[in-house]
Amino acid sequence: MQTTAMKVVRSFYTYKNRFLLKPNPISLSRHFHLTTSPFLSKESGLAVHSSANDPIPIDSTKKAPLVWSVFDPISDGTVAQSGASRSAGNGESELRLSSFDEEVDGLAGENLIKREKTQMGLPSNRNEIEDLKKEKRYVGVKKGSSVNGAVGSGDRAVYRTKGKSKTSWVCEICGFTSGQWWGSCRSCNEVGTMKQFFEAKIGSGNKVSGIEASENAVRSWMPQKPGELRPLRLTDVNRGMNMLNWRIPLSGLFGSEVERVLGGGLVPGSLVLVGGDPGVGKSTLLLQIAAIIADSEDLGGSAPVVYVSGEESVEQIGNRADRMEIGTEELYLYSSTDIEDILGKIQHLSPRALIIDSIQTVYLKGVAGSAGGLSQVKECTSALLRFAKTTNIPILLIGHVNKSGDIAGPRVLEHIVDVVLYMEVVTCHANYQGEKYSSHRLLRPVKNRFGSTDELGVFEMSQLGLAVVSNPSEIFLTEQHSDSDFLAGLAVAVIMDGSRSFLIEIQALCVSGSSVSRHINGIQSSRADMIISVLIKQAGLMLQENAIFLNVVSGVMLTETAGDVAIAAAICSSFLEFPIPNNIAFIGEIGLGGELRAVPRMEKRVHTVAKLGYKMCVIPKSAEKSLANLGFQGMKIVGCKNLKEVINTVFKA
């Protein structure tokens, strides 16, 4: 590379600290000197100038090249270089090494700074540094080969972006969000419910939020509405809607039971979340619902329904559908976990409904965290919500539950969706092996923006899937043998779960001289102790010397007070060894004074008893007048004030 004399001097002063152990002017002049053609003699090939302080005359009239002898640190020797001659103007000019000391030192400092920046990977341009500051980026040095902490040639810069995620604390009960941790929620005052939540920044680089993903999928195939969106009058909104045909109907017995829970059918554009324990039948339930919607003839014929699973392959879903004898032509199966891919693939189908199994397995590419994390669950649900509201396509989601029985993920998930349904096995206590078993399933709404949360669906799991229980009031009753001696201690109670009433059997056994004082299954121990104490004090029964065993048939857990009278009647029947006729039911709560108190929904309870063909129903005296005028055919209603009247009425000679 051709260089001028000035560049050689600059290069020497820049790298002099690398090869001079004892820098002095004499060694400089002997090793590095300027040689021009006017000073070259014929006898010698090279003229040597011995002093760096003496001026070196330069002939400006001759354009001879300048020859330099430069020390090369790479080859560890001197290298001769030549360059173009420089014109000094009129007359001669002097060139001194000492005259360049101040200038060259400054240039050497700049070269050192540039060299170090280059080795670290930093930009030497100040504008580039300002750009990095605007981007909120900082640089860290990853060590390569260094000596005594100095930056070596193997070091490289690592660029990182500040503020990639936002940390917040979310209450898992009410969804209250705070920027810092508190011992208790400042909204609902619950202690220990604030959970850490990492939320990715929206709109930075390739990051995509849930709303952005759904809008990108919708924008390509949804017709644009003319004009800008603006508030509408309530009367204008309802004027163009037919409320009778607005919901998507679900046909058949199974569909009618699901409609009861939803409040009258599936609402277009709604987001429904179904939760439950593993293996309870969530996937089976939604697969049956998908088949009913796809085959619905009430909406002008069949229409596509897409069932997307992130847990099963298409072949596995097809095998399950074949076992359940589902052969719907318009039911489409797809296996994917990418939300953007799912919303893009259903574009050409324009389905009537979309089912995602499950929300904990899908993800958005632009959101931090793995599938099932707090950020992913929240953003994926937001994307599906936006998609449902924009396209008017109902979406049904399956949600996993954690060890406490709540839906996994942030509590705000239940606040985002329109309907939350819980599917559970019929509540039962453990058998002698510690297992819970029941083929019956209950589907109850926890949240419903389009209907009541008091409804309850009752199903039975069979080989062909979930089947509707024709008479759910009798699922807990066993076959009875009238007027048998061994039925002493058996009484029937009427309980409510949601809007459904059920009849359950309560058994009691009184044994004198037993080493076990009491053993209770299916009844709260404190409640049973209170009823036994009232029988001893208020009814005069000598139960102190007897061991009492209580059990609820079919493993049901009795949690409401409407079964108090039936518990007392069963204990009296066993103690007196007097069987209770199998056509008598008991309804009522017992107070500490032995009095009978009315319970909610007395009319519906009594109506269920009459429908099942019972001959007599024992109720509190305070509720007798309101029910006497209803005229239950073939059933006698008996009102009692206290336990003594109940004993005299039922156990009379």
Side-chain angles (χ1 to χ4, degrees):
M1 177 180 181
Q2 301 296 328
T3 61
T4 62
M6 181 63 71
K7 291 183 178 180
V8 174
V9 177
R10 291 178 179 176
S11 177
F12 161 67
Y13 273 89
T14 300
Y15 297 97
K16 65 182 181 180
N17 61 333
R18 292 194 175 185
F19 55 83
L20 292 179
L21 299 177
K22 297 180 180 181
N24 56 77
I26 298 177
S27 61
L28 286 175
S29 62
R30 290 179 178 178
H31 288 82
F32 293 89
H33 47 267
L34 178 63
T35 305
T36 57
S37 58
F39 301 100
L40 294 177
S41 63
K42 296 180 180 180
E43 291 78 14
S44 62
L46 184 64
V48 179
H49 189 72
S50 62
S51 177
N53 296 325
D54 296 336
I56 302 175
I58 299 177
D59 188 359
S60 61
T61 60
K62 298 181 180 181
K63 298 182 179 180
L66 299 178
V67 180
W68 295 85
S69 179
V70 181
F71 179 82
D72 187 5
I74 299 178
S75 61
D76 196 16
T78 59
V79 179
Q81 297 181 353
S82 62
S85 64
R86 303 182 63 178
S87 176
N90 297 327
E92 295 181 354
S93 63
E94 294 182 348
L95 180 62
R96 294 176 180 269
L97 290 175
S98 60
S99 64
F100 291 101
D101 285 347
E102 182 177 355
E103 178 182 356
V104 172
D105 287 339
L107 294 174
E110 293 181 6
N111 290 334
L112 287 173
I113 294 175
K114 290 182 179 180
R115 175 171 56 83
E116 291 176 358
K117 288 184 176 181
T118 303
Q119 291 177 351
M120 292 178 62
L122 295 175
S124 59
N125 192 348
R126 186 177 299 274
N127 294 332
E128 296 181 13
I129 298 177
E130 295 297 331
D131 294 339
L132 292 180
K133 290 180 179 180
K134 292 179 181 179
E135 295 178 7
K136 296 182 179 180
R137 303 182 69 181
Y138 65 96
V139 179
V141 178
K142 186 174 182 179
K143 289 294 180 183
S145 59
S146 60
V147 180
N148 296 329
V151 179
S153 60
D155 300 340
R156 60 186 179 89
V158 180
Y159 293 84
R160 300 177 183 175
T161 304
K162 287 185 177 181
K164 293 179 64 175
S165 62
K166 177 184 177 182
T167 303
S168 59
W169 297 84
V170 182
C171 177
E172 63 180 1
I173 300 299
C174 66
F176 172 75
T177 304
S178 176
Q180 60 181 344
W181 179 85
W182 297 91
S184 61
C185 177
R186 304 180 69 182
S187 178
C188 61
N189 296 326
E190 293 291 336
V191 179
T193 61
M194 302 299 292
K195 302 299 181 182
Q196 194 172 13
F197 183 83
F198 296 97
E199 182 177 3
K201 278 193 172 182
I202 297 175
S204 60
N206 296 326
K207 301 301 181 182
V208 181
S209 65
I211 295 179
E212 289 176 350
S214 60
E215 288 181 348
N216 293 336
V218 172
R219 189 181 299 112
S220 61
W221 60 289
M222 279 301 296
Q224 298 295 329
K225 296 182 179 179
E228 296 181 356
L229 296 177
R230 55 184 177 83
L232 300 176
R233 292 189 180 92
L234 176 62
T235 55
D236 295 338
V237 175
N238 293 333
R239 185 178 295 115
M241 294 178 58
N242 185 359
M243 293 300 177
L244 297 178
N245 299 326
W246 180 50
R247 295 174 181 256
I248 299 176
L250 304 177
S251 59
L253 293 176
F254 178 85
S256 300
E257 193 74 4
V258 177
E259 279 187 346
R260 172 198 291 268
V261 179
L262 294 175
L266 188 62
V267 176
S270 60
L271 189 61
V272 181
L273 177 64
V274 180
D277 293 330
V280 73
K282 302 183 295 296
S283 300
T284 301
L285 172 69
L286 291 191
L287 188 59
Q288 291 182 252
I289 293 177
I292 293 176
I293 297 176
D295 284 340
S296 179
E297 299 293 340
D298 298 334
L299 298 176
S302 59
V305 175
V306 181
Y307 186 100
V308 181
S309 176
E311 303 174 346
E312 299 177 280
S313 64
V314 175
E315 292 76 15
Q316 291 173 335
I317 304 173
N319 182 37
R320 178 154 48 91
D322 181 69
R323 175 175 54 83
M324 297 167 59
E325 298 182 358
I326 296 177
T328 306
E329 291 290 337
E330 295 297 329
L331 179 58
Y332 291 82
L333 306 179
Y334 186 53
S335 179
S336 178
T337 56
D338 188 353
I339 287 292
E340 296 183 67
D341 174 64
I342 294 172
L343 299 183
K345 290 297 177 60
I346 67 174
Q347 172 179 350
H348 67 284
L349 293 176
S350 186
R352 183 178 290 174
L354 173 64
I355 297 174
I356 305 294
D357 183 8
S358 64
I359 189 61
Q360 279 80 17
T361 60
V362 294
Y363 68 94
L364 279 171
K365 293 181 179 179
V367 179
S370 59
L374 297 179
S375 301
Q376 286 287 354
V377 171
K378 179 182 177 182
E379 293 297 336
C380 290
T381 308
S382 299
L384 295 174
L385 176 67
R386 177 66 175 172
F387 180 83
K389 302 306 179 185
T390 306
T391 61
N392 220 28
I393 296 176
I395 299 178
L396 292 88
L397 309 175
I398 290 180
H400 297 164
V401 297
N402 51 32
K403 60 183 180 181
S404 62
D406 299 326
I407 294 180
R411 194 69 176 184
V412 294
L413 174 62
E414 300 184 27
H415 293 279
I416 293 175
V417 300
D418 299 313
V419 181
V420 179
L421 304 179
Y422 271 90
M423 192 174 189
E424 58 189 36
V425 181
V426 173
T427 305
C428 60
H429 57 266
N431 59 5
Y432 66 94
Q433 295 178 344
E435 300 175 351
K436 295 182 178 181
Y437 59 95
S438 177
S439 61
H440 293 94
R441 304 290 189 268
L442 301 180
L443 183 64
R444 63 176 77 251
V446 177
K447 172 187 177 182
N448 192 354
R449 290 174 177 168
F450 315 113
S452 174
T453 57
D454 290 335
E455 297 296 338
L456 183 70
V458 184
F459 304 91
E460 184 177 7
M461 182 64 73
S462 63
Q463 188 68 22
L464 300 179
L466 293 170
V468 179
V469 178
S470 58
N471 191 358
S473 300
E474 292 182 332
I475 62 176
F476 303 120
L477 295 178
T478 59
E479 184 179 358
Q480 296 186 8
H481 304 274
S482 59
D483 299 332
S484 298
D485 294 338
F486 64 86
L487 283 181
L490 181 66
V492 177
V494 183
I495 62 174
M496 294 289 298
D497 194 341
S499 62
R500 293 294 184 88
S501 56
F502 301 93
L503 273 66
I504 61 173
E505 297 177 349
I506 299 176
Q507 293 177 327
L509 178 63
C510 297
V511 181
S512 60
S514 175
S515 60
V516 180
S517 59
R518 290 170 190 172
H519 188 77
I520 301 170
N521 286 331
I523 303 173
Q524 296 179 0
S525 299
S526 59
R527 196 74 190 172
D529 293 340
M530 187 205 74
I531 295 174
I532 294 173
S533 300
V534 171
L535 287 174
I536 296 174
K537 177 68 176 179
Q538 306 297 339
L541 297 181
M542 305 299 293
L543 301 174
Q544 295 87 342
E545 302 298 330
N546 288 266
I548 300 176
F549 299 85
L550 292 175
N551 179 54
V552 180
V553 181
S554 300
V556 181
M557 291 295 299
L558 181 60
T559 57
E560 63 172 329
T561 59
D564 290 355
V565 178
I567 295 174
I571 295 175
C572 292
S573 175
S574 177
F575 180 75
L576 300 175
E577 297 183 356
F578 192 99
I580 300 176
N582 58 5
N583 56 3
I584 299 179
F586 300 88
I587 305 173
E589 177 184 353
I590 297 177
L592 293 178
E595 74 280 8
L596 269 60
R597 299 176 179 269
V599 293
R601 300 185 180 182
M602 289 292 301
E603 180 180 350
K604 186 172 184 59
R605 297 173 194 263
V606 175
H607 179 76
T608 302
V609 175
K611 185 178 179 180
L612 294 178
Y614 280 73
K615 300 299 182 179
M616 185 171 65
C617 183
V618 179
I619 63 173
K621 190 71 173 181
S622 58
E624 183 181 10
K625 294 182 180 179
S626 60
L627 298 175
N629 298 329
L630 297 179
F632 296 101
Q633 298 180 357
M635 188 183 69
K636 180 181 179 182
I637 298 177
V638 179
C640 300
K641 293 182 179 181
N642 48 49
L643 283 177
K644 288 184 177 182
E645 292 188 9
V646 173
I647 295 174
N648 293 332
T649 302
V650 177
F651 303 102
K652 60 183 178 180

